[in-house]
Amino acid sequence: MKIKTWSDYLYLIFFVVLLAVILRWTTISFYYFPTDSMVPSIYPKDYVVVNKLAYGLRLTPGRAVYFEQAAGAGDMVLFTLP
């Protein structure tokens, strides 16, 4: 695919951003830990990448989970307080 015009750049940028949003929504998230509440596993100022597909696929918040699995021994569970 050759990019020739500015509209080709806009289409490319649109699809890259759309792909990034879909991946962020369904597969991965990034979290920052500012405190030492998880030492020695996670140190202060660490970033953690969370795999959202590890325990099932959720397409919409609060809806059905497909391919659901339970957390096992040694797994870390991350949640955010409202």
Side-chain angles (χ1 to χ4, degrees):
M1 173 178 143
K2 259 200 157 173
I3 298 175
K4 296 180 181 181
T5 63
W6 63 271
S7 63
D8 291 340
Y9 283 110
L10 288 178
Y11 286 127
L12 181 64
I13 290 171
F14 172 76
F15 286 115
V16 167
V17 168
L18 182 66
L19 179 66
V21 167
I22 290 172
L23 286 176
R24 172 83 163 87
W25 182 33
T26 60
T27 59
I28 61 171
S29 287
F30 303 95
Y31 291 94
Y32 172 71
F33 284 84
T35 64
D36 60 351
S37 62
M38 289 290 296
V39 171
S41 299
I42 299 172
Y43 288 98
K45 300 180 183 175
D46 275 353
Y47 287 93
V48 176
V49 179
V50 176
N51 178 6
K52 292 182 179 181
L53 293 177
Y55 301 109
L57 174 63
R58 180 171 296 183
L59 296 177
T60 57
R63 300 289 181 220
V65 178
Y66 303 99
F67 315 111
E68 187 174 6
Q69 288 183 313
D75 291 347
M76 287 188 183
V77 178
L78 183 125
F79 62 93
T80 56
L81 293 175

